[in-house]
């Protein structure tokens, strides 16, 4: 079976609709016909300032949400990145074949470091995409389900895999991004030309999966639209309405055209009200499941420990091959 790997940062108390529609929904679908590896990437989460107690708590909350969305530990390997030391070890090796200028061209780093000020941005934030390449290459992933914002990092991963294979001999599978066409980028409700983002959006621009349904409905009601009245899918001229149509279609498993047809002759208020209800219908059972998993942290930790054991088997074999190829003397 083809392999798939992806990760998500435990940097907030809840995943948001962008995470879900851009990536996590595909994670759940792919576990059926792929050998799937999914991780909560806590090493990535410390590239920006963080609170240690919060990180540990959020790591469990992230795992509980992934289970609540439908990841099945019997059908996929779910683990925490820091439980598998091979990630940091391969990352170092890949750093040594990455050009400084090449890493400097990553737009996510440029955006985030510009926002923080270059003196405050860490070296970890700079090397973040190389650690991400290590995450993927360790598992010989064929596909990586992510949102559009990760396309450039995936391209770097592919380049590093090809470069390593060329210099040291065939070692890594070269992975393909798996980016959903319709929901590759979900937009901020308050600024529908920008990505819905944990770190950049205002709270009212993000629909969090664990928000109480009333809160989400309110945020959706105040979503920025335009001064016309017609509901049609026109991302260029009507980005706010297009975003709401995209979310509605994805959450109800329909084509955008079908949703558009439903709203012919109706107003923006209807579209927003219905979407609030659609999100609520999803969020209520989801929150219940997540709370169920969080109520038994010992069992959650056991699931993650089993995942880490399996992840280490696969990643350990890749790292051993890498060490041999680059000429590290094996320990006696
Ligand atoms: N708005 C989005 N639309 C589609 N996909 C998105 N993803 C994130 N935002 C959107 C995808 O979610 C996955 C997890 O991403 P992450 O762990 O890197 O989360 P993140 O980057 O912390 O999420 P944010 O909100 O984008 O945070 P910031 O602002 O800190 O960068 C990835 O596959 C990502 O593509």
């Amino acid at each position: 079976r083809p392999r798939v790997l992806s990760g998500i940062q435990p940097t907030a108390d809840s995943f948001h609709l962008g995470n879900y529609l851009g990536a996590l929904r595909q994670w759940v679908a792919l576990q059926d016909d792929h050998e799937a590896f999914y991780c909560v990437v806590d090493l990535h989460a410390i590239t920006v300032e963080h609170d240690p107690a919060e990180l540990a708590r959020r790591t469990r909350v992230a795992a509980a949400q992934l289970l609540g969305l439908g990841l099945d530990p019997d059908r996929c390997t779910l683990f925490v990145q820091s439980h598998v030391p091979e990630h940091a070890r391969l990352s170092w090796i890949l750093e040594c074949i990455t050009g400084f200028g090449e890493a400097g061209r990553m737009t996510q780093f440029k955006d985030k470091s510009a926002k923080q000020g270059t003196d405050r941005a860490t070296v970890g934030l700079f090397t973040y995409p190389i650690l991400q390449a290590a995450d993927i290459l360790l598992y010989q992933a064929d596909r990586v389900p992510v949102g559009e914002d990760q396309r450039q990092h995936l391209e770097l991963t592919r380049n590093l895999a090809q470069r390593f294979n060329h210099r040291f001999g065939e070692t890594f599978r070269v992975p393909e991004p798996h980016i959903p066409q319709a929901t590759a980028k979900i937009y901020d409700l308050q600024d529908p030309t920008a990505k819905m983002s944990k770190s950049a959006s205002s709270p009212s621009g993000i629909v969090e999966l664990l928000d109480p349904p009333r809160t989400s409905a309110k945020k959706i009601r105040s979503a920025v639209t335009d001064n016309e009245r017609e509901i049609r899918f026109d991302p260029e001229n009507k980005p706010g309405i297009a975003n709401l149509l995209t979310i509605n279609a994805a959450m109800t498993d329909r084509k955008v055209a079908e949703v558009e047809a439903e709203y012919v002759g109706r107003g923006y208020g209807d579209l927003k009200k219905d979407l609030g209800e659609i999100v609520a219908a999803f969020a209520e059972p989801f929150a219940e499941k997540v709370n169920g998993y969080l109520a038994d942290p010992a069992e959650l930790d056991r699931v993650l420990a089993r995942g880490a054991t399996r992840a280490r088997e696969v990643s350990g074999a890749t790292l051993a091959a890498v060490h041999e190829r680059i000429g590290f003397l094996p320990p006696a």
Side-chain angles (χ1 to χ4, degrees), residues 11-78:
T11 41
D13 288 336
S14 171
F15 299 147
H16 58 68
L17 269 183
N19 300 137
Y20 175 56
L21 297 176
L24 303 176
R25 238 163 50 127
Q26 285 63 246
W27 292 22
V28 177
L30 288 165
Q31 67 183 339
D32 288 335
D33 48 7
H34 286 70
E35 195 182 346
F37 294 85
Y38 297 127
C39 53
V40 178
V41 291
D42 53 352
L43 298 181
H44 282 96
I46 64 165
T47 55
V48 292
E49 236 174 84
H50 77 287
D51 174 331
E54 283 286 277
L55 179 60
R57 187 180 63 76
R58 286 173 165 176
T59 299
R60 280 210 188 97
V61 174
Q65 288 180 89
L66 293 173
L67 295 169
L69 289 173
L71 289 191
D72 173 358
D74 289 329
R75 287 187 295 151
C76 73
T77 300
L78 174 63

Side-chain angles (χ1 to χ4, degrees), residues 12 14-19 186-191 195-209 211 215-216 218-220 247:
S14 171
F15 299 147
H16 58 68
L17 269 183
N19 300 137
I186 299 298
Y187 293 88
D188 183 326
L189 297 183
Q190 288 301 315
D191 176 5
K195 180 183 94 151
M196 184 180 286
S197 151
K198 266 181 291 207
S199 60
S201 299
S202 68
S204 52
I206 315 177
V207 177
E208 301 203 332
L209 303 187
D211 266 345
T215 309
S216 302
K218 194 165 155 214
K219 290 180 181 179
I220 293 167
I247 297 171

Side-chain angles (χ1 to χ4, degrees), residues 63-248:
Q65 288 180 89
L66 293 173
L67 295 169
L69 289 173
L71 289 191
D72 173 358
D74 289 329
R75 287 187 295 151
C76 73
T77 300
L78 174 63
F79 64 99
V80 175
Q81 187 187 29
S82 65
H83 294 175
V84 183
E86 284 75 9
H87 291 243
R89 295 174 67 189
L90 179 61
S91 183
W92 171 256
I93 294 167
L94 295 178
E95 281 177 32
C96 297
I97 64 161
T98 307
F100 195 80
E102 186 178 31
R105 282 192 291 276
M106 295 297 115
T107 55
Q108 182 173 296
F109 171 74
K110 286 200 273 194
D111 292 347
K112 289 196 173 177
S113 60
K115 223 169 283 163
Q116 292 179 10
T118 347
D119 284 344
R120 288 191 58 207
T122 65
V123 174
L125 189 66
F126 184 66
T127 57
Y128 179 117
I130 306 170
L131 176 60
Q132 191 177 336
D135 300 339
I136 297 164
L137 299 179
L138 275 174
Y139 298 90
Q140 307 288 357
D142 297 281
R143 293 204 184 108
V144 186
V146 285
E148 179 62 39
D149 58 331
Q150 295 301 322
R151 191 182 287 279
Q152 193 189 29
H153 289 171
L154 249 294
E155 202 44 47
L156 176 71
T157 302
R158 290 169 53 82
N159 288 338
L160 293 178
Q162 280 159 344
R163 187 174 306 154
F164 189 98
N165 288 348
H166 180 74
R167 282 199 200 154
F168 303 108
E170 239 2 82
T171 308
F172 296 123
R173 211 169 287 175
V174 181
E176 299 282 345
H178 181 88
I179 300 176
Q181 234 188 358
T183 54
K185 189 168 176 184
I186 299 298
Y187 293 88
D188 183 326
L189 297 183
Q190 288 301 315
D191 176 5
T193 58
K195 180 183 94 151
M196 184 180 286
S197 151
K198 266 181 291 207
S199 60
S201 299
S202 68
S204 52
I206 315 177
V207 177
E208 301 203 332
L209 303 187
L210 289 172
D211 266 345
R214 270 198 308 157
T215 309
S216 302
K218 194 165 155 214
K219 290 180 181 179
I220 293 167
R221 256 200 324 274
S222 0
V224 168
T225 51
D226 53 61
N227 298 325
E228 300 178 7
R229 304 169 65 96
E230 194 192 356
I231 298 178
R232 89 191 128 78
F233 187 73
D234 180 351
E236 205 158 303
N237 299 306
K238 297 167 74 68
I241 291 295
N243 194 36
L244 297 179
L245 286 170
T246 299
I247 297 171
N248 181 317

